[in-house]
Amino acid sequence: MKLFSLLLSVIMFFVSLYFFSIQLGSIDSLNDVIYISLLVTLMAICVVGVIINWDILKKKKKNKENVILFVSNSFSRKEKKNKK
C-alpha cells in the first residue's frame, strides 16, 4: 500500500508540474492565478506524500538486529498482602 501511495504521489507531482508549466505562460485573470495556486498546493501535497513514504526507497540491512525493551515497575514484584 505504501508503494502504491509513493507511486501515485510521484505520478501526480509530474502531471501537475506539466499543467503548471503549460499554464504559467498564459496568466490573464484571477481564475488563472487561483488555478496555478491550486496546482502548487497539489505539488506540495505530493512532495509530502513522497517524504512520508520515503522509507520504502531506503535499503534496509538484512542483518539488522531488533532490540526489544521491556519496561517494568517495581510494584509487580511486591507480594500482595491479604487483608483479613
Side-chain angles (χ1 to χ4, degrees):
M1 192 68 181
K2 279 191 164 190
L3 183 62
F4 175 72
S5 177
L6 179 67
L7 290 175
L8 187 65
S9 293
V10 170
I11 290 169
M12 286 309 300
F13 177 79
F14 285 114
V15 169
S16 59
L17 184 65
Y18 172 73
F19 286 113
F20 177 78
S21 64
I22 289 174
Q23 190 67 29
L24 194 59
S26 61
I27 299 174
D28 296 332
S29 64
L30 182 63
N31 289 335
D32 294 331
V33 173
I34 293 171
Y35 179 67
I36 286 179
S37 66
L38 288 174
L39 285 174
V40 168
T41 305
L42 179 61
M43 286 190 288
I45 290 170
C46 291
V47 168
V48 169
V50 169
I51 291 171
I52 288 172
N53 296 312
W54 188 255
D55 61 341
I56 292 174
L57 298 178
K58 290 181 183 178
K59 293 182 180 178
K60 295 181 181 180
K61 294 181 181 177
K62 292 181 180 178
N63 295 331
K64 186 177 178 182
E65 295 181 18
N66 294 332
V67 177
I68 300 174
L69 298 175
F70 292 109
V71 179
S72 64
N73 56 17
S74 62
F75 296 114
S76 62
R77 294 185 183 180
K78 291 182 181 179
E79 293 180 15
K80 294 180 181 179
K81 296 180 181 177
N82 293 332
K83 293 182 180 179
K84 292 184 180 181

